[in-house]
Amino acid sequence: MIRSSSSLPCARSLGGGLGALVAALAIAVAAPAAAADWFSTGCTTSEDLHPEKPTRLLLRVLRAPGDPGFDAVLLRLPDGHLAADTAFFSKLGISATLPAAARVQRGYYDLDRFPELDYAIDHCNQTLSVDAARLMAKSRVSMRPTDALTERGAPRSETGGFVQIDSQYSRFADEGTTSTLAYAGLFGANQQIEGSALFDDDRGIRLDTFWTIPDPQRLQTLRVGDAITDPGPLGAARRFGGIQWGTDFTLQPSFVSFPLPSARGLALLPSTVDVYVNDVLRGQTEVPAGPFEITDLPGLTGDGRLRLVVTDLLGRSQLLEYDIYTATRLLRGGLSEYSLTAGFPRESYGVRSGDYGEAFASAVYRRGLSDNLTIETQAEASQERYTAAAGYALLLPGLGTIGTSLAAAGGDSHGGQLRAGAERIGPVWSLRAEWQETSRGFLRIGETQPPSRSRSIAGASWQRPGIGSLSASWLDELTGSGERLNGLLFGYNPPSLLGFHVSLNARYDFETSERHSAFLLLSRRLGARAHVGATMQLQDSQTTAGVQLSRNPAGPLGWYARAAHAQGELQRSTASLGYTHERASLSAAIEDFDGEQAYRAGVRTGIVALGRDLFWTRPLAGPFAIVDTDGTGGVRVFSENHPVGDTDDRGLLLVPDLRAYQANRVSVRDDDYALDARIDRFAERIVAPGFGGVRVPFRARGGVAQRLRLQLPDGTAPPAGADIVNLGTGQTGFLGFDGAATLEAAPGSYRLQVRWMDGACVADVRLRADAKLGDPMRTVPCLPQAAAGTATRDRDLR
C-alpha cells in the first residue's frame, strides 16, 4: 500500500499492485485531458496527513475520467486514513453490506479497510478520484436472443380445418396399383384434432388419430390419442394409444434447456464486449463499470475456446480467454423435464388399424441438479409386467460427459439392464463409447424379446482444415434374436477437390465377408440450381457405379428434374420430373430395371379452411398464414424474401410451411398496388402456432382522398408553405405551390383552415365516397376567415 507524503496525493495501488500503476499510465497516455482530473499527481500543496482528531474534508468525488462527479464530506482520521458515510458508497454504486470492521465513529467507514477500492486526493483541486469497480454489484448480461413469444405473447390460430392427400399410381409388369395417404384435421385457438389413414386398391388402414392442446408459456403439451412414449433411461420409445402430458421444449424454439457457458470479467469503465467462440464472432454487448457476467453464450456444442475482447470508453482493450464445454444431453441446473403416459401399446402399426396391446402406464422425470449433473428416472407398469430405471449424466470439465443407467424388471419380466457411456466433442477430436448389457429375460412393456442383449460401441473422429475429417467406429452387438453384429466403419471427407465434394466410407465385418463394403461419392454444384454426382460401391465382391444429375427450383415453387443411371451386376436407369404449384405438387417418373420398365405418377394437394375462407393449396408441412390485401388481387407475396404466389380475386393467398413459434417475415410487393392505394405496411413479422393458421392483413387505410387547389377571392392562391388544418379531424399539413393540397379522410363535409404570416382563410368542402387521388384536381374557394360564415359550401366535390 502506497501512502502519500506532504507533497504527493494519497493513493493506493489499483488491485493492490503494479496493475494500478499500469492502468493509470494507460489512461494518461490514452486520454491526457481526461487524466488531468483523474488520479492526478500534479498537486504540490501540503496537507496534514495525521491530524490530532478527525478532520472534515469537502471533496468533489470523481468515479471515472470525464465524470462530472458529486460532492461529499469525508473524514481525515488521525492515522492518515480516509472515512466516508453510507451515502458515499451508495453513490458509487456499491449495494453490498458494508463490513462492520471498517466502521469508525459516527457511521463513517474507513476506505483503507476495502482492499478492492482505490483512491487518490488532489488537494489543489479538492477532488477525490475513486476506482470502486471491484466493489460494484455484478451486472449480468444474457446473450440469448429475444423470444418471439415474450415479445408478442402465445400465438393462436383462427378456427379452421384441412384435408390433404398424397396419391401415387405405379405400374410394373402390366399391373397397376394406387395408394393414397390422407390427412385431415380441425384446429382452433389452442388445440388441434388430426387423423391420418393409408388407402390402397382394396383396403384402408388408420394410422394416427390424436387431440393436442399445447401450452407454450408453460412449455407443456397434452395429447390424447395416438402418440410415442418418451424413451427415458430405458432407451425404448414405442407407439401407443392413450393420453400423454409432459414437458415440450419445442414450443419455444429459442428456449435452451441445456446449460450454456458463461464468462466473468471486470470493466473499470463502461465497456463494449465482443464475444468470440472458436475464433468466430458470435455477438456484442455493452456492460457498465464493475464486475460483469455474460450468460447464455451461443454457437458452441462440445469443447471450445471462448474469448472476450473488452473495450472501454477510452479505447483500451483487454482479452479474456476461457476453455468451455457445452453438453446438450444435460439440463440446466434447477430445470426439470417430465412425461406422464397411460394407454395401450400399438401393435402392427401400418398393417392393422386398431391393434392394441395390454394397458400400461409410464412416467419419466429428469432434473438438472446443477449445470454439471442431471439425473433421470423412469417407471413403467402393466398388469403382467413392470420396470424401473434410474441414471445420471455428469459433465467433467475439460474431459466430456459420462453417464450410467440401471434398470430392473418384475412380473413376467426379470433381470435387469446396465448401460454406461462417455462422450467428448471437440473442434479437433471427438470420442464416444457406450456399453450395454441386458439379461436374457429382461423385457420392457410391449416387447416379446429384447432388441439387444449386449452392445459395445466405440468411435472417434478427427478433423483439420486443409486435411479434412476422419472417423472410425466399432460395433459389437448381440441382438435379441441371437444375430451377431461385429464390424468396423471408416469414413473420410477430404477438402473440396476441383469443386467436388468427396466422401469415402468403408465397412469391415468380423463375422462374414458378405457385409464388407466400400462406398465413394463425388458431387459438384453446377450453377445455383443443378448438381451432378457419381458413386461407386463395392459389396460382396460386386461393384456398382452410378451417376446422378438433378435440377431444383430456386424456391418452394417451380420445376425440378432428376436422372440417374447405375451399372453393375444389374442395370438401373431412372428419370423423374416434377412441378410444384401454389395448389398442388405433381410428379412423374420412369424406371428401367434390367430391361423391365416401371412408371409412377403422383399428386399432392390439399384444401384448407380458415374462418369463412376456403383455399385449394399444396400440402402443408406446418402452420400457415393467410395474406389479406383488402380485395386487391394479383399482389405478389413473399415468405422470408422467397416468392410464394399471388393473391386471388378476393385479395387472399395462403402462405404454407411457416416456422412454428418463431418470427416469420411475410411481405408484399408495393408496386403491385394501384398508384392511389395507401397501404399501412408492406412487411410483417408474425409468430405462428404449431398448427393452424393466422391472418396477416395488408389493408388500405380507411377513408378516401382528393386533390384540391385552394383559391382566394382575387383568383390568387395562398402562399406555398402555409399551414393547413382539417378542423374536423385535427390533421395538419402545409400548402403546396399554386394552392395544392390533399384531403384524406372518411366521406363527409370538412372545414379547412389555412394560415400564413399575414393572413388566413377557410374552405368548406365535401368529400364524396367515390373520390380518388387520380381524379382531376378540383378548385375550391378559400375565403378570408371573417367572411367564411357567408361562404357557399362546395358540396359537389368529386
Side-chain angles (χ1 to χ4, degrees), residues 134-165:
R134 294 174 178 83
L135 280 174
M136 293 181 184
K138 181 192 298 182
S139 59
R140 185 183 296 267
V141 180
S142 175
M143 297 291 289
R144 183 183 305 172
T146 303
D147 195 333
L149 295 179
T150 303
E151 289 182 340
R152 303 170 183 262
R156 290 179 175 268
S157 171
E158 192 175 331
T159 301
F162 69 92
V163 176
Q164 56 188 42
I165 62 171

PDB file of all heavy atoms in Angstrom, residues 134-165:
ATOM      1  N   ARG A 134     -14.369  -2.956  -8.538  1.00  0.00           N
ATOM      2  CA  ARG A 134     -14.344  -4.308  -7.973  1.00  0.00           C
ATOM      3  C   ARG A 134     -15.359  -4.488  -6.837  1.00  0.00           C
ATOM      4  O   ARG A 134     -15.634  -5.606  -6.425  1.00  0.00           O
ATOM      5  CB  ARG A 134     -12.946  -4.638  -7.471  1.00  0.00           C
ATOM      6  CG  ARG A 134     -11.916  -4.733  -8.597  1.00  0.00           C
ATOM      7  CD  ARG A 134     -10.509  -4.930  -8.050  1.00  0.00           C
ATOM      8  NE  ARG A 134      -9.534  -5.065  -9.102  1.00  0.00           N
ATOM      9  CZ  ARG A 134      -8.977  -4.041  -9.740  1.00  0.00           C
ATOM     10  NH1 ARG A 134      -9.342  -2.811  -9.421  1.00  0.00           N
ATOM     11  NH2 ARG A 134      -8.100  -4.236 -10.702  1.00  0.00           N
ATOM     12  N   LEU A 135     -15.866  -3.378  -6.323  1.00  0.00           N
ATOM     13  CA  LEU A 135     -16.850  -3.470  -5.249  1.00  0.00           C
ATOM     14  C   LEU A 135     -18.286  -3.352  -5.744  1.00  0.00           C
ATOM     15  O   LEU A 135     -19.218  -3.590  -4.980  1.00  0.00           O
ATOM     16  CB  LEU A 135     -16.606  -2.357  -4.222  1.00  0.00           C
ATOM     17  CG  LEU A 135     -15.486  -2.589  -3.207  1.00  0.00           C
ATOM     18  CD1 LEU A 135     -15.283  -1.350  -2.370  1.00  0.00           C
ATOM     19  CD2 LEU A 135     -15.778  -3.791  -2.328  1.00  0.00           C
ATOM     20  N   MET A 136     -18.447  -2.982  -6.998  1.00  0.00           N
ATOM     21  CA  MET A 136     -19.803  -2.769  -7.506  1.00  0.00           C
ATOM     22  C   MET A 136     -20.530  -4.094  -7.640  1.00  0.00           C
ATOM     23  O   MET A 136     -19.927  -5.151  -7.793  1.00  0.00           O
ATOM     24  CB  MET A 136     -19.744  -2.067  -8.870  1.00  0.00           C
ATOM     25  CG  MET A 136     -19.225  -0.648  -8.816  1.00  0.00           C
ATOM     26  SD  MET A 136     -19.212   0.095 -10.453  1.00  0.00           S
ATOM     27  CE  MET A 136     -18.466   1.680 -10.072  1.00  0.00           C
ATOM     28  N   ALA A 137     -21.865  -4.024  -7.620  1.00  0.00           N
ATOM     29  CA  ALA A 137     -22.684  -5.217  -7.804  1.00  0.00           C
ATOM     30  C   ALA A 137     -22.452  -5.772  -9.205  1.00  0.00           C
ATOM     31  O   ALA A 137     -22.341  -5.020 -10.175  1.00  0.00           O
ATOM     32  CB  ALA A 137     -24.160  -4.889  -7.603  1.00  0.00           C
ATOM     33  N   LYS A 138     -22.369  -7.090  -9.304  1.00  0.00           N
ATOM     34  CA  LYS A 138     -22.108  -7.742 -10.585  1.00  0.00           C
ATOM     35  C   LYS A 138     -23.285  -7.524 -11.526  1.00  0.00           C
ATOM     36  O   LYS A 138     -24.437  -7.728 -11.174  1.00  0.00           O
ATOM     37  CB  LYS A 138     -21.873  -9.225 -10.380  1.00  0.00           C
ATOM     38  CG  LYS A 138     -21.568  -9.988 -11.674  1.00  0.00           C
ATOM     39  CD  LYS A 138     -21.625 -11.478 -11.467  1.00  0.00           C
ATOM     40  CE  LYS A 138     -20.580 -11.920 -10.466  1.00  0.00           C
ATOM     41  NZ  LYS A 138     -20.610 -13.398 -10.296  1.00  0.00           N
ATOM     42  N   SER A 139     -22.987  -7.069 -12.745  1.00  0.00           N
ATOM     43  CA  SER A 139     -24.022  -6.937 -13.766  1.00  0.00           C
ATOM     44  C   SER A 139     -24.057  -8.217 -14.592  1.00  0.00           C
ATOM     45  O   SER A 139     -23.024  -8.786 -14.922  1.00  0.00           O
ATOM     46  CB  SER A 139     -23.740  -5.731 -14.667  1.00  0.00           C
ATOM     47  OG  SER A 139     -22.473  -5.860 -15.296  1.00  0.00           O
ATOM     48  N   ARG A 140     -25.263  -8.674 -14.898  1.00  0.00           N
ATOM     49  CA  ARG A 140     -25.454  -9.919 -15.642  1.00  0.00           C
ATOM     50  C   ARG A 140     -26.093  -9.589 -16.981  1.00  0.00           C
ATOM     51  O   ARG A 140     -27.129  -8.936 -17.043  1.00  0.00           O
ATOM     52  CB  ARG A 140     -26.327 -10.882 -14.852  1.00  0.00           C
ATOM     53  CG  ARG A 140     -26.490 -12.262 -15.491  1.00  0.00           C
ATOM     54  CD  ARG A 140     -27.431 -13.100 -14.663  1.00  0.00           C
ATOM     55  NE  ARG A 140     -26.894 -13.357 -13.343  1.00  0.00           N
ATOM     56  CZ  ARG A 140     -26.185 -14.428 -13.030  1.00  0.00           C
ATOM     57  NH1 ARG A 140     -25.937 -15.333 -13.947  1.00  0.00           N
ATOM     58  NH2 ARG A 140     -25.728 -14.602 -11.803  1.00  0.00           N
ATOM     59  N   VAL A 141     -25.467 -10.049 -18.065  1.00  0.00           N
ATOM     60  CA  VAL A 141     -25.945  -9.797 -19.417  1.00  0.00           C
ATOM     61  C   VAL A 141     -26.146 -11.133 -20.104  1.00  0.00           C
ATOM     62  O   VAL A 141     -25.239 -11.973 -20.116  1.00  0.00           O
ATOM     63  CB  VAL A 141     -24.939  -8.935 -20.220  1.00  0.00           C
ATOM     64  CG1 VAL A 141     -25.463  -8.688 -21.622  1.00  0.00           C
ATOM     65  CG2 VAL A 141     -24.675  -7.625 -19.512  1.00  0.00           C
ATOM     66  N   SER A 142     -27.341 -11.357 -20.671  1.00  0.00           N
ATOM     67  CA  SER A 142     -27.639 -12.607 -21.373  1.00  0.00           C
ATOM     68  C   SER A 142     -27.505 -12.389 -22.871  1.00  0.00           C
ATOM     69  O   SER A 142     -27.963 -11.380 -23.412  1.00  0.00           O
ATOM     70  CB  SER A 142     -29.053 -13.095 -21.037  1.00  0.00           C
ATOM     71  OG  SER A 142     -29.392 -14.229 -21.804  1.00  0.00           O
ATOM     72  N   MET A 143     -26.859 -13.368 -23.545  1.00  0.00           N
ATOM     73  CA  MET A 143     -26.711 -13.321 -24.997  1.00  0.00           C
ATOM     74  C   MET A 143     -27.828 -14.085 -25.699  1.00  0.00           C
ATOM     75  O   MET A 143     -27.787 -14.267 -26.913  1.00  0.00           O
ATOM     76  CB  MET A 143     -25.360 -13.915 -25.402  1.00  0.00           C
ATOM     77  CG  MET A 143     -24.159 -13.163 -24.875  1.00  0.00           C
ATOM     78  SD  MET A 143     -23.977 -11.539 -25.637  1.00  0.00           S
ATOM     79  CE  MET A 143     -23.480 -12.007 -27.287  1.00  0.00           C
ATOM     80  N   ARG A 144     -28.823 -14.562 -24.931  1.00  0.00           N
ATOM     81  CA  ARG A 144     -29.903 -15.330 -25.534  1.00  0.00           C
ATOM     82  C   ARG A 144     -30.750 -14.402 -26.393  1.00  0.00           C
ATOM     83  O   ARG A 144     -31.095 -13.299 -25.983  1.00  0.00           O
ATOM     84  CB  ARG A 144     -30.773 -15.967 -24.459  1.00  0.00           C
ATOM     85  CG  ARG A 144     -31.886 -16.863 -25.003  1.00  0.00           C
ATOM     86  CD  ARG A 144     -32.748 -17.390 -23.884  1.00  0.00           C
ATOM     87  NE  ARG A 144     -31.965 -18.081 -22.876  1.00  0.00           N
ATOM     88  CZ  ARG A 144     -32.446 -18.500 -21.725  1.00  0.00           C
ATOM     89  NH1 ARG A 144     -33.723 -18.290 -21.438  1.00  0.00           N
ATOM     90  NH2 ARG A 144     -31.683 -19.119 -20.859  1.00  0.00           N
ATOM     91  N   PRO A 145     -31.129 -14.839 -27.621  1.00  0.00           N
ATOM     92  CA  PRO A 145     -31.973 -13.982 -28.463  1.00  0.00           C
ATOM     93  C   PRO A 145     -33.339 -13.771 -27.846  1.00  0.00           C
ATOM     94  O   PRO A 145     -33.833 -14.604 -27.082  1.00  0.00           O
ATOM     95  CB  PRO A 145     -32.063 -14.771 -29.786  1.00  0.00           C
ATOM     96  CG  PRO A 145     -31.765 -16.189 -29.404  1.00  0.00           C
ATOM     97  CD  PRO A 145     -30.784 -16.099 -28.258  1.00  0.00           C
ATOM     98  N   THR A 146     -33.953 -12.651 -28.203  1.00  0.00           N
ATOM     99  CA  THR A 146     -35.274 -12.334 -27.676  1.00  0.00           C
ATOM    100  C   THR A 146     -36.292 -13.360 -28.161  1.00  0.00           C
ATOM    101  O   THR A 146     -36.334 -13.696 -29.343  1.00  0.00           O
ATOM    102  CB  THR A 146     -35.706 -10.928 -28.127  1.00  0.00           C
ATOM    103  OG1 THR A 146     -34.728  -9.989 -27.688  1.00  0.00           O
ATOM    104  CG2 THR A 146     -37.048 -10.561 -27.541  1.00  0.00           C
ATOM    105  N   ASP A 147     -37.087 -13.867 -27.253  1.00  0.00           N
ATOM    106  CA  ASP A 147     -38.086 -14.874 -27.584  1.00  0.00           C
ATOM    107  C   ASP A 147     -39.286 -14.198 -28.237  1.00  0.00           C
ATOM    108  O   ASP A 147     -39.809 -13.212 -27.738  1.00  0.00           O
ATOM    109  CB  ASP A 147     -38.522 -15.603 -26.315  1.00  0.00           C
ATOM    110  CG  ASP A 147     -39.274 -16.893 -26.618  1.00  0.00           C
ATOM    111  OD1 ASP A 147     -39.882 -16.949 -27.706  1.00  0.00           O
ATOM    112  OD2 ASP A 147     -39.231 -17.804 -25.783  1.00  0.00           O
ATOM    113  N   ALA A 148     -39.702 -14.749 -29.384  1.00  0.00           N
ATOM    114  CA  ALA A 148     -40.864 -14.184 -30.070  1.00  0.00           C
ATOM    115  C   ALA A 148     -42.112 -14.271 -29.214  1.00  0.00           C
ATOM    116  O   ALA A 148     -42.992 -13.407 -29.283  1.00  0.00           O
ATOM    117  CB  ALA A 148     -41.087 -14.917 -31.400  1.00  0.00           C
ATOM    118  N   LEU A 149     -42.228 -15.305 -28.366  1.00  0.00           N
ATOM    119  CA  LEU A 149     -43.390 -15.421 -27.503  1.00  0.00           C
ATOM    120  C   LEU A 149     -43.407 -14.324 -26.453  1.00  0.00           C
ATOM    121  O   LEU A 149     -44.454 -13.819 -26.071  1.00  0.00           O
ATOM    122  CB  LEU A 149     -43.401 -16.790 -26.816  1.00  0.00           C
ATOM    123  CG  LEU A 149     -43.581 -18.004 -27.744  1.00  0.00           C
ATOM    124  CD1 LEU A 149     -43.539 -19.276 -26.929  1.00  0.00           C
ATOM    125  CD2 LEU A 149     -44.875 -17.905 -28.506  1.00  0.00           C
ATOM    126  N   THR A 150     -42.201 -13.950 -25.962  1.00  0.00           N
ATOM    127  CA  THR A 150     -42.120 -12.887 -24.972  1.00  0.00           C
ATOM    128  C   THR A 150     -42.539 -11.553 -25.571  1.00  0.00           C
ATOM    129  O   THR A 150     -43.210 -10.745 -24.928  1.00  0.00           O
ATOM    130  CB  THR A 150     -40.691 -12.789 -24.423  1.00  0.00           C
ATOM    131  OG1 THR A 150     -40.321 -14.062 -23.879  1.00  0.00           O
ATOM    132  CG2 THR A 150     -40.592 -11.740 -23.350  1.00  0.00           C
ATOM    133  N   GLU A 151     -42.170 -11.328 -26.836  1.00  0.00           N
ATOM    134  CA  GLU A 151     -42.496 -10.062 -27.476  1.00  0.00           C
ATOM    135  C   GLU A 151     -43.983  -9.953 -27.816  1.00  0.00           C
ATOM    136  O   GLU A 151     -44.600  -8.914 -27.650  1.00  0.00           O
ATOM    137  CB  GLU A 151     -41.681  -9.912 -28.769  1.00  0.00           C
ATOM    138  CG  GLU A 151     -40.202  -9.675 -28.542  1.00  0.00           C
ATOM    139  CD  GLU A 151     -39.464  -9.476 -29.849  1.00  0.00           C
ATOM    140  OE1 GLU A 151     -39.997  -9.897 -30.901  1.00  0.00           O
ATOM    141  OE2 GLU A 151     -38.376  -8.894 -29.829  1.00  0.00           O
ATOM    142  N   ARG A 152     -44.583 -11.049 -28.286  1.00  0.00           N
ATOM    143  CA  ARG A 152     -45.917 -10.958 -28.851  1.00  0.00           C
ATOM    144  C   ARG A 152     -46.952 -11.794 -28.119  1.00  0.00           C
ATOM    145  O   ARG A 152     -48.119 -11.760 -28.460  1.00  0.00           O
ATOM    146  CB  ARG A 152     -45.879 -11.408 -30.328  1.00  0.00           C
ATOM    147  CG  ARG A 152     -44.899 -10.592 -31.159  1.00  0.00           C
ATOM    148  CD  ARG A 152     -44.705 -11.226 -32.527  1.00  0.00           C
ATOM    149  NE  ARG A 152     -43.716 -10.493 -33.306  1.00  0.00           N
ATOM    150  CZ  ARG A 152     -44.019  -9.591 -34.214  1.00  0.00           C
ATOM    151  NH1 ARG A 152     -45.288  -9.312 -34.458  1.00  0.00           N
ATOM    152  NH2 ARG A 152     -43.083  -8.956 -34.885  1.00  0.00           N
ATOM    153  N   GLY A 153     -46.542 -12.579 -27.121  1.00  0.00           N
ATOM    154  CA  GLY A 153     -47.472 -13.464 -26.448  1.00  0.00           C
ATOM    155  C   GLY A 153     -47.653 -14.760 -27.220  1.00  0.00           C
ATOM    156  O   GLY A 153     -47.195 -14.915 -28.342  1.00  0.00           O
ATOM    157  N   ALA A 154     -48.341 -15.711 -26.605  1.00  0.00           N
ATOM    158  CA  ALA A 154     -48.539 -17.015 -27.222  1.00  0.00           C
ATOM    159  C   ALA A 154     -49.393 -16.868 -28.483  1.00  0.00           C
ATOM    160  O   ALA A 154     -50.456 -16.263 -28.455  1.00  0.00           O
ATOM    161  CB  ALA A 154     -49.193 -17.964 -26.229  1.00  0.00           C
ATOM    162  N   PRO A 155     -48.947 -17.431 -29.613  1.00  0.00           N
ATOM    163  CA  PRO A 155     -49.726 -17.316 -30.848  1.00  0.00           C
ATOM    164  C   PRO A 155     -50.969 -18.194 -30.788  1.00  0.00           C
ATOM    165  O   PRO A 155     -50.980 -19.251 -30.170  1.00  0.00           O
ATOM    166  CB  PRO A 155     -48.753 -17.800 -31.922  1.00  0.00           C
ATOM    167  CG  PRO A 155     -47.830 -18.730 -31.200  1.00  0.00           C
ATOM    168  CD  PRO A 155     -47.694 -18.167 -29.811  1.00  0.00           C
ATOM    169  N   ARG A 156     -52.024 -17.763 -31.467  1.00  0.00           N
ATOM    170  CA  ARG A 156     -53.272 -18.514 -31.516  1.00  0.00           C
ATOM    171  C   ARG A 156     -53.744 -18.590 -32.959  1.00  0.00           C
ATOM    172  O   ARG A 156     -53.626 -17.633 -33.712  1.00  0.00           O
ATOM    173  CB  ARG A 156     -54.337 -17.850 -30.644  1.00  0.00           C
ATOM    174  CG  ARG A 156     -54.060 -17.955 -29.153  1.00  0.00           C
ATOM    175  CD  ARG A 156     -55.142 -17.247 -28.355  1.00  0.00           C
ATOM    176  NE  ARG A 156     -54.945 -17.447 -26.918  1.00  0.00           N
ATOM    177  CZ  ARG A 156     -55.496 -18.427 -26.236  1.00  0.00           C
ATOM    178  NH1 ARG A 156     -56.279 -19.298 -26.853  1.00  0.00           N
ATOM    179  NH2 ARG A 156     -55.289 -18.560 -24.946  1.00  0.00           N
ATOM    180  N   SER A 157     -54.293 -19.746 -33.299  1.00  0.00           N
ATOM    181  CA  SER A 157     -54.797 -19.950 -34.647  1.00  0.00           C
ATOM    182  C   SER A 157     -56.268 -19.578 -34.705  1.00  0.00           C
ATOM    183  O   SER A 157     -57.030 -19.755 -33.750  1.00  0.00           O
ATOM    184  CB  SER A 157     -54.612 -21.405 -35.065  1.00  0.00           C
ATOM    185  OG  SER A 157     -55.277 -21.663 -36.283  1.00  0.00           O
ATOM    186  N   GLU A 158     -56.679 -19.086 -35.856  1.00  0.00           N
ATOM    187  CA  GLU A 158     -58.095 -18.894 -36.122  1.00  0.00           C
ATOM    188  C   GLU A 158     -58.737 -20.269 -36.339  1.00  0.00           C
ATOM    189  O   GLU A 158     -58.072 -21.221 -36.741  1.00  0.00           O
ATOM    190  CB  GLU A 158     -58.249 -18.016 -37.368  1.00  0.00           C
ATOM    191  CG  GLU A 158     -59.650 -17.496 -37.609  1.00  0.00           C
ATOM    192  CD  GLU A 158     -59.681 -16.538 -38.778  1.00  0.00           C
ATOM    193  OE1 GLU A 158     -58.648 -15.875 -39.037  1.00  0.00           O
ATOM    194  OE2 GLU A 158     -60.742 -16.450 -39.439  1.00  0.00           O
ATOM    195  N   THR A 159     -60.012 -20.401 -36.081  1.00  0.00           N
ATOM    196  CA  THR A 159     -60.699 -21.678 -36.244  1.00  0.00           C
ATOM    197  C   THR A 159     -60.721 -22.090 -37.710  1.00  0.00           C
ATOM    198  O   THR A 159     -60.960 -21.260 -38.598  1.00  0.00           O
ATOM    199  CB  THR A 159     -62.130 -21.587 -35.705  1.00  0.00           C
ATOM    200  OG1 THR A 159     -62.074 -21.218 -34.322  1.00  0.00           O
ATOM    201  CG2 THR A 159     -62.853 -22.907 -35.841  1.00  0.00           C
ATOM    202  N   GLY A 160     -60.448 -23.375 -37.963  1.00  0.00           N
ATOM    203  CA  GLY A 160     -60.436 -23.862 -39.338  1.00  0.00           C
ATOM    204  C   GLY A 160     -60.195 -25.353 -39.395  1.00  0.00           C
ATOM    205  O   GLY A 160     -60.318 -26.065 -38.394  1.00  0.00           O
ATOM    206  N   GLY A 161     -59.852 -25.832 -40.579  1.00  0.00           N
ATOM    207  CA  GLY A 161     -59.588 -27.246 -40.775  1.00  0.00           C
ATOM    208  C   GLY A 161     -58.852 -27.479 -42.080  1.00  0.00           C
ATOM    209  O   GLY A 161     -58.624 -26.545 -42.859  1.00  0.00           O
ATOM    210  N   PHE A 162     -58.487 -28.731 -42.336  1.00  0.00           N
ATOM    211  CA  PHE A 162     -57.745 -29.042 -43.554  1.00  0.00           C
ATOM    212  C   PHE A 162     -57.974 -30.504 -43.938  1.00  0.00           C
ATOM    213  O   PHE A 162     -58.286 -31.350 -43.099  1.00  0.00           O
ATOM    214  CB  PHE A 162     -56.251 -28.784 -43.374  1.00  0.00           C
ATOM    215  CG  PHE A 162     -55.580 -29.737 -42.422  1.00  0.00           C
ATOM    216  CD1 PHE A 162     -54.985 -30.908 -42.878  1.00  0.00           C
ATOM    217  CD2 PHE A 162     -55.548 -29.471 -41.058  1.00  0.00           C
ATOM    218  CE1 PHE A 162     -54.385 -31.790 -41.997  1.00  0.00           C
ATOM    219  CE2 PHE A 162     -54.939 -30.351 -40.175  1.00  0.00           C
ATOM    220  CZ  PHE A 162     -54.358 -31.512 -40.646  1.00  0.00           C
ATOM    221  N   VAL A 163     -57.810 -30.773 -45.217  1.00  0.00           N
ATOM    222  CA  VAL A 163     -57.760 -32.126 -45.777  1.00  0.00           C
ATOM    223  C   VAL A 163     -56.677 -32.108 -46.837  1.00  0.00           C
ATOM    224  O   VAL A 163     -56.655 -31.210 -47.696  1.00  0.00           O
ATOM    225  CB  VAL A 163     -59.104 -32.553 -46.405  1.00  0.00           C
ATOM    226  CG1 VAL A 163     -58.961 -33.924 -47.062  1.00  0.00           C
ATOM    227  CG2 VAL A 163     -60.205 -32.574 -45.371  1.00  0.00           C
ATOM    228  N   GLN A 164     -55.760 -33.050 -46.784  1.00  0.00           N
ATOM    229  CA  GLN A 164     -54.730 -33.119 -47.804  1.00  0.00           C
ATOM    230  C   GLN A 164     -54.416 -34.575 -48.124  1.00  0.00           C
ATOM    231  O   GLN A 164     -54.526 -35.449 -47.262  1.00  0.00           O
ATOM    232  CB  GLN A 164     -53.457 -32.380 -47.385  1.00  0.00           C
ATOM    233  CG  GLN A 164     -52.829 -32.812 -46.082  1.00  0.00           C
ATOM    234  CD  GLN A 164     -51.699 -31.875 -45.678  1.00  0.00           C
ATOM    235  OE1 GLN A 164     -51.813 -30.656 -45.791  1.00  0.00           O
ATOM    236  NE2 GLN A 164     -50.601 -32.446 -45.221  1.00  0.00           N
ATOM    237  N   ILE A 165     -54.027 -34.812 -49.388  1.00  0.00           N
ATOM    238  CA  ILE A 165     -53.780 -36.164 -49.849  1.00  0.00           C
ATOM    239  C   ILE A 165     -52.447 -36.225 -50.581  1.00  0.00           C
ATOM    240  O   ILE A 165     -51.982 -35.234 -51.148  1.00  0.00           O
ATOM    241  CB  ILE A 165     -54.907 -36.664 -50.777  1.00  0.00           C
ATOM    242  CG1 ILE A 165     -54.997 -35.785 -52.033  1.00  0.00           C
ATOM    243  CG2 ILE A 165     -56.235 -36.709 -50.052  1.00  0.00           C
ATOM    244  CD1 ILE A 165     -55.923 -36.340 -53.090  1.00  0.00           C
TER     245      ILE A 165
END
